[in-house]
Amino acid sequence: MYYGVDIGSTYIKIVGLDKNNNIIDLKVLNTSINPDEMVKDYLKNKVIKTLVATGYGRYMMQEAFKVPIISEIKAHTKGAYYFFNDVRTIIDLGGQDSKIIKVVEGGNFDNFKMNDKCAAGTGKFIEIAASRLQIPLEKFGEIAKKSDKKVQISSMCAVFAESEVISLIASKEKPENIAHGIIESIAGRLAGMAKSMRPEDKVVFTGGGAKNILLKELLSKKLNKNIYVPKHPQMIGAFGAALAGKEMEMK
């Protein structure tokens, strides 16, 4: 099998492909101490032809496994292009950063913008807020859609934004209204980044944040474009890494 591993700040994503690029192994692990050992333990009884690493922990994987690595930009581009070969713009929302990637015909990227300076515009802020509001992360968007009042989260810093959330909780604001305000804030930041790159159709949304149904809807409205989400958006980087390994073997 052809394996790709995407070690992110919050989760480790592992994808195994067969010779026809069918996904036959899919695993998500919480990133903790020694993520390379976690990957090694998971893969120890697997039949592996190639293994390629991506994500912020790719250099750790390269040293531990002596395997090739590719950048997150290349991995997400390759993965998104496989499922949507007419993709021209990728919006990726991960745990520690967000990215806008411009894709050209043939499946290569020619430009990108990354925000990795503050958690307020990343998936990590949703996780922090979900914990504060005692809302299951997987239901955060669904519950936020039930809001009946517009609540604004205006701080550009995650620390201050969290303080806003705490103040809203103390004032007994409904959790669904606070949740909607948080997602609206993140959607605004992502849309602003995307507009600065002049997004073209087709727009594909990847990363764990793409599983949030309200975030997808708000992004679509703010960009006035249809947003497409792969079946396993969180796994696109690992999928792209696995594809890269297969291509390397065929050369």
Side-chain angles (χ1 to χ4, degrees), residues 119 123-133 137 140 158 162 165:
K124 189 64 178 178
F125 184 47
I126 296 179
E127 289 191 15
I128 293 169
S131 177
R132 285 284 186 185
L133 295 170
L137 185 60
F140 198 82
E162 186 179 3
V165 171

Side-chain angles (χ1 to χ4, degrees), residues 188-208:
R189 290 167 186 251
L190 286 176
M193 281 180 63
K195 286 177 181 178
S196 72
M197 298 283 286
R198 297 183 179 180
E200 302 175 62
D201 294 333
K202 180 181 233 179
V203 180
V204 175
F205 191 16
T206 66

Side-chain angles (χ1 to χ4, degrees), residues 139-150:
K139 294 184 178 180
F140 198 82
E142 180 184 338
I143 289 174
K145 290 187 72 172
K146 298 176 181 178
S147 68
D148 58 14
K149 175 184 173 184
K150 190 175 182 66

